[in-house]
Amino acid sequence: MNLIYKNEKTLFRIMLALSLLIWAALVIGTLGMALVYVLLFFVSYCFAQSALVSYIRGTGVQITPAQFPDLHQRIESCCQRLGLEEMPDAYLLQMGGSFNAFATRFFGTNFIVLYSDVVDALEERPDAINFYIGHEIGHLTRQHLRWSALLAPAAWLPLLGAAYARAREYTCDRHGFHACDDLKSAQVGLAALAAGGKRWRQLSASNYSAQAQYSSGFWMSFHELVGDYPWLVKRMAAVRGLAQGNEVTQPGRHGLAYLLALLVPRLGVGGAGSVLGLVVLIGVLAAVAIPAYGDYTAKARMAQAVVVGHEATAAVERYFYANGRGPATLEAAGYAMDDPNHAVQDITVDAGNGMVRVFPADLNYRGKAIAFTPRVDENKRVVWQCASADIPERVLPAECRN
């Protein structure tokens, strides 16, 4: 049996390619500033992850050969069966009735946490506990946790990020199935997730799987497309198919749901990692957007200042044609500044060579000038050249760039 879900590798390659492109664009576009935000995110992530690991170690019960040897033996056996060479640190945690398990990683150490309620609920079917153990080992063997940081930029993309997350869950369900000795134990594990610690015994896996037919409707399709987990009824149907040696064809999704889901970025399923990830994404985008917006507004103000400069050069040019020399002042040339947008702080003319200097009002460029230099061409006509030695060309109009 192939332990990797059919779409995971393809989605991973797409995610990796897009993430590398986005990382490169962010680093180049922000002149390396994005790396500062990444560093801040990493520090914040370390604090958040350290809090989680500290809670696990300070509250949970470590599963060892001396402490819960039956669970330790199961975890060791699942690791051998699924090809995980180094056994992760394992803990049993009481979570107030929640049925689940999770894997995490902190500074090179892998952790598996089993919730006590699911272990207690399956006491009479302990092989079903292997499904939970195997599922989390799947995350470790597939290195989902290691790749998450590199894939982070593409993980936020609509449809794609959630699709990859769901593919990982199907892959890990396959690992959980393979970790069980009894082919029906994986179904029991999912039944406990669906019906709880007592009612799972009466749950009909076939009837529950049949509920997947409702998932093709618009709203169920939409909410699955924007979510990180497949509907549990679909997971049950997939596991039942594996037990029967078949690959289940899941019901199709509503076409219009894809259009709506395309407008919803993936934000993950919660926790400090999602919040911190959102913060760093906003920070990185701000590192790109704020300078770009600053340049955009500066360009607009410079264009207005150049318009004022053209009006001044026209007055100087008329004075030259009438008098054969440049004016001593702009007032002498009959020029009065008309600047309704307040784009110019000051404007002057050099009596010696007729150069007009426009000083923009933009606070970032106070004291710096746009120079309009005149020359007389072969036809005895005045030609003006616009340039600036102090103001960056990227914010100047095209006519004022060298």
Side-chain angles (χ1 to χ4, degrees):
M1 183 187 72
N2 188 355
L3 296 182
I4 303 173
Y5 181 63
K6 59 183 180 180
N7 293 336
E8 185 188 341
K9 289 185 177 180
T10 300
L11 290 170
F12 172 80
R13 294 188 187 101
I14 297 172
M15 293 272 291
L16 180 60
L18 290 176
S19 293
L20 292 175
L21 288 175
I22 295 172
W23 279 124
L26 288 173
V27 172
I28 296 172
T30 62
L31 301 179
M33 184 61 68
L35 296 176
V36 176
Y37 287 93
V38 171
L39 178 61
L40 291 175
F41 167 71
F42 176 74
V43 173
S44 301
Y45 170 79
C46 286
F47 273 97
Q49 191 70 355
S50 67
L52 173 62
V53 172
S54 297
Y55 177 78
I56 293 170
R57 285 174 165 168
T59 306
V61 182
Q62 187 171 14
I63 299 172
T64 66
Q67 188 84 274
F68 305 132
D70 58 322
L71 292 178
H72 183 271
Q73 185 177 4
R74 288 191 174 281
I75 295 171
E76 187 175 41
S77 174
C78 289
C79 288
Q80 292 174 355
R81 182 173 294 186
L82 296 172
L84 185 63
E85 296 181 358
E86 185 176 352
M87 183 174 170
D89 288 358
Y91 286 82
L92 186 69
L93 193 63
Q94 198 286 118
M95 291 296 289
S98 297
F99 280 62
N100 213 336
F102 68 88
T104 190
R105 182 178 174 84
F106 186 62
F107 283 123
T109 300
N110 292 321
F111 295 83
I112 286 181
V113 178
L114 301 177
Y115 288 8
S116 61
D117 289 279
V118 75
V119 173
D120 292 343
L122 298 174
E123 187 173 4
E124 64 187 66
R125 289 290 300 270
D127 187 48
I129 300 172
N130 287 18
F131 173 77
Y132 292 87
I133 297 171
H135 182 101
E136 303 310 327
I137 290 177
H139 284 300
L140 301 179
T141 59
R142 291 294 300 153
Q143 299 188 6
H144 292 155
L145 304 175
R146 288 189 177 186
W147 284 103
S148 59
L150 182 60
L151 300 180
W156 302 95
L157 296 177
L159 292 179
L160 178 62
Y164 177 59
R166 292 192 302 273
R168 294 191 313 182
E169 293 305 312
Y170 278 125
T171 289
C172 292
D173 279 353
R174 287 169 171 264
H175 282 72
F177 174 83
H178 189 63
C180 297
D181 294 323
D182 186 339
L183 296 182
K184 294 183 179 180
S185 293
Q187 299 174 59
V188 172
L190 289 173
L193 282 181
K198 294 181 178 180
R199 288 287 180 175
W200 68 262
R201 297 169 180 82
Q202 287 82 46
L203 183 140
S204 167
S206 60
N207 290 341
Y208 186 63
S209 299
Q211 291 178 212
Q213 62 182 311
Y214 302 118
S215 65
S216 60
F218 174 80
W219 287 114
M220 285 193 69
S221 296
F222 167 73
H223 288 292
E224 186 179 33
L225 286 170
V226 299
D228 281 6
Y229 289 87
W231 294 122
L232 194 59
V233 291
K234 286 188 171 183
R235 293 172 63 185
M236 178 67 86
V239 166
R240 278 179 55 78
L242 292 176
Q244 297 167 6
N246 300 321
E247 291 287 344
V248 173
T249 300
Q250 301 285 11
R253 299 189 182 97
H254 198 288
L256 292 178
Y258 284 92
L259 296 178
L260 183 58
L262 191 60
L263 305 176
V264 181
R266 173 181 174 263
L267 296 180
V269 292
S274 294
V275 175
L276 290 172
L278 182 59
V279 169
V280 74
L281 179 64
I282 293 173
V284 171
L285 291 178
V288 177
I290 291 175
Y293 179 73
D295 283 353
Y296 172 78
T297 56
K299 285 179 182 179
R301 299 283 285 171
M302 292 299 169
Q304 295 167 354
V306 168
V307 170
V308 174
H310 284 317
E311 295 172 352
T313 59
V316 171
E317 189 174 330
R318 288 192 297 269
Y319 185 92
F320 175 80
Y321 288 140
N323 300 281
R325 57 183 174 80
T329 64
L330 288 173
E331 290 78 8
Y335 173 76
M337 186 168 64
D338 181 17
D339 181 24
N341 297 312
H342 306 289
V344 174
Q345 180 189 19
D346 192 18
I347 185 167
T348 64
V349 63
D350 189 316
N353 59 17
M355 180 184 292
V356 173
R357 289 185 174 86
V358 176
F359 295 86
D362 192 314
L363 292 176
N364 294 317
Y365 303 102
R366 282 289 176 91
K368 300 178 180 180
I370 302 173
F372 294 82
T373 305
R375 65 179 178 84
V376 179
D377 65 11
E378 62 275 8
N379 298 318
K380 306 297 183 181
R381 297 184 60 82
V382 177
V383 179
W384 297 90
Q385 181 179 2
C386 173
S388 177
D390 302 316
I391 298 174
E393 286 192 348
R394 70 176 186 275
V395 299
L396 291 172
E399 63 181 284
C400 298
R401 300 173 188 172
N402 293 327

